[in-house]
Amino acid sequence: MKVQEVLNDLKRRFPNESEYHQAVTEVLESIEEVYNQHPEFDKAGLIERLCIPDRIFSFRVTWVDDKGKVQVNMGYRIQHNNVIGPYKGGIRFHSSVNLSILKFLAFEQTFKNSLTTLPMGGGKGGSDFSPRGKSSAEIMRFCQAFILELWRHIGPDTDVPAGDIGVGGREVAYMYGMYKKLAKENTGTFTGKGIEFGGSLIRPEATGYGNIYFLLEMLKTGKIDIKGKKCLVSGSGNVAQYTCEKLIELGAIPVTLSDSDGYIYDPEGITREKLDFVMDLKNIQRGRIREYAEHYGCKYVPGGRVWTEKGDIALPSATQNELNGDDAKILVANGCIAVSEGANMPSTPEAIEVFQHAKILYAPGKAANAGGVATSGLEMTQNSMRLGWTREEVDEKLKRIMSDIHRQCIRYGTEPDGYINYVKGANIAGFMKVAKAMMAQGIL
Ligand code: NDP
Ligand code: 2IT
């Protein structure tokens, strides 16, 4: 394989899909050496097959808003690869959703799911519907309209969706309800469900908790204590909230949160009580993070990014490309020792270059945020058994999985000077399992 040739071909055939090109470039550069040690991969066109999704569904979603006006959105599901298990991955509702973003997410998901050690393939879906400012009734009608098209393409053994940006417990429940009505089956073709109808304990917490479990593993390699460390967290949704919860529990000090309008900086730290305020603000009132600053009298920076503040640890938990090369330089100059990604691809290639050049601890999303989908896998297992595990049981399994992912990164990513290149480690480990399964199953 010649990385540039594969990339040029993809760029020619799928122009204007910059996020997709970005995600593919990173993986190809990481695996090139290992790939070329296996001439049988090249002969089998492995990488050409792995870069292109198995199939893509796209459809129109028509719904009626509260004023009685008919609204039209696009809906998508990308089934990327299912060699190690059913397609698995979240659904994103955000005005920015397009094929490039969903293709990058489905591609990443395939390697992330491979790393979890569980039998799950990769997929992703979503819509350019923006939940912002919509009533609960509008959200419900949209979710139902979305599933009216999607239901025929998903199922417990074929494709199991979950949440992502703009899709949390409320949206999953509306979608699952409609799915069951149409599909006439009740075996859990969604994860992140309510605890009353097949959801797993710890699934809501899992991405944020898992990211901190992974961070703890990284800190252990440098014998660093998390206690008292100032942490810069971006976002204020599901991942950011449970990242903060675990940090507080461990005695670390989260000092920032953000949303698409701006960020807050609380030098005294976001405490348990303040986090409860954020959870009510974001999950019930559906307000803006600015209101935190108004309530607690701290700094609010409209339009700004949290990375300009001073912190020991950075935990990007909002969206792709939210941390660029300049942000990374500021972080490093301010003494940041670790970056662990709760979001998918939040750091630009330039930012990653800065972190690795400075040799600070840096974990890419596909390793660090895999706890979310891993716990989705555990939800699928519980649904198959028609049993539920306790919080402690699920949390213990999550910890074990995060530690296993860390071990895989060390195995494939340790460089001659001892620096752990987690990007390389995660990409090679994730890729090798998928590659072996593809080779075993023949040319498909
Ligand atoms: P939520 O919708 O709960 O929260 C997203 C947060 O990020 C909000 O604060 C939102 O602000 C902000 N945000 C979203 N898009 C943008 C944007 N374009 N610019 C600036 N801020 C933005 O989503 P999650 O917490 O679930 O997801 C956050 C990240 O974590 C995503 O990258 C997702 O793919 C990833 N992830 C999620 C997992 C999960 O289990 N939920 C699992 C693994 C990864 P606003 O409200 O203003 O839009
Ligand atoms: O990006 C992700 O891993 C998720 N949004 C979670 C996917 C899942 O199936 O739980």
Side-chain angles (χ1 to χ4, degrees), residues 92-94 96 104-105 109 112 124 132 162-168 203-204 206-208 234-241 258-261 282-283 287-288 316-320 322 341-346 365 369-373 376:
R92 177 177 291 193
F93 292 166
H94 193 270
S96 64
F104 115 65
L105 288 163
Q109 197 81 45
K112 182 197 304 192
K124 201 86 188 188
R132 192 167 170 173
D164 193 75
I165 291 177
V167 177
R203 177 61 189 90
T207 311
S234 65
S236 50
N238 171 270
V239 179
Q241 291 171 19
S258 68
D259 61 22
S260 48
D261 294 344
K282 284 292 170 182
N283 310 342
R288 310 307 300 162
S317 310
T319 192
Q320 64 278 351
E322 56 163 317
E341 296 184 340
N344 286 306
M345 206 169 78
N369 72 36
V373 73
S376 281

Side-chain angles (χ1 to χ4, degrees), residues 239-260:
V239 179
Q241 291 171 19
Y242 289 104
T243 296
C244 281
E245 182 166 286
K246 191 49 83 178
L247 287 172
I248 296 166
E249 191 189 311
L250 295 171
I253 310 164
V255 290
T256 62
L257 282 173
S258 68
D259 61 22
S260 48

Side-chain angles (χ1 to χ4, degrees), residues 85-273:
Y87 302 106
K88 180 85 196 87
I91 301 261
R92 177 177 291 193
F93 292 166
H94 193 270
S95 51
S96 64
V97 162
N98 58 34
L99 270 182
S100 173
I101 287 177
L102 295 182
K103 279 171 74 178
F104 115 65
L105 288 163
F107 177 81
E108 288 284 287
Q109 197 81 45
T110 300
F111 302 101
K112 182 197 304 192
N113 294 3
S114 163
L115 284 171
T116 64
T117 71
L118 303 174
M120 298 182 290
K124 201 86 188 188
S127 172
D128 58 3
F129 168 77
S130 170
R132 192 167 170 173
K134 303 290 190 297
S135 72
S136 221
E138 287 175 322
I139 298 280
M140 182 183 75
R141 289 197 295 275
F142 176 80
C143 288
Q144 293 180 338
F146 182 78
I147 291 298
L148 202 50
E149 276 296 327
L150 185 66
W151 79 275
R152 67 188 79 250
H153 304 301
I154 60 179
D157 297 314
T158 52
D159 186 351
V160 183
D164 193 75
I165 291 177
V167 177
R170 174 180 64 170
E171 292 74 19
V172 165
Y174 286 148
M175 286 193 272
Y176 186 57
M178 187 65 170
Y179 170 81
K180 282 198 290 102
K181 239 185 155 44
L182 294 162
K184 295 191 285 184
E185 63 95 5
N186 207 332
T187 54
T189 305
F190 259 93
T191 59
K193 300 184 291 295
I195 200 66
E196 306 80 8
F197 48 96
S200 174
L201 289 165
I202 303 281
R203 177 61 189 90
E205 295 90 336
T207 311
Y209 280 19
N211 189 19
I212 301 305
Y213 296 154
F214 195 89
L215 171 68
L216 288 175
E217 295 286 342
M218 288 204 293
L219 293 175
K220 232 196 285 175
T221 66
K223 299 194 173 53
I224 303 164
D225 193 352
I226 196 168
K227 224 176 175 156
K229 294 286 179 294
K230 284 206 167 162
C231 299
L232 306 175
V233 182
S234 65
S236 50
N238 171 270
V239 179
Q241 291 171 19
Y242 289 104
T243 296
C244 281
E245 182 166 286
K246 191 49 83 178
L247 287 172
I248 296 166
E249 191 189 311
L250 295 171
I253 310 164
V255 290
T256 62
L257 282 173
S258 68
D259 61 22
S260 48
D261 294 344
Y263 78 87
I264 60 111
Y265 175 67
D266 186 343
E268 282 158 28
I270 298 162
T271 57
R272 175 73 250 183
E273 180 218 329

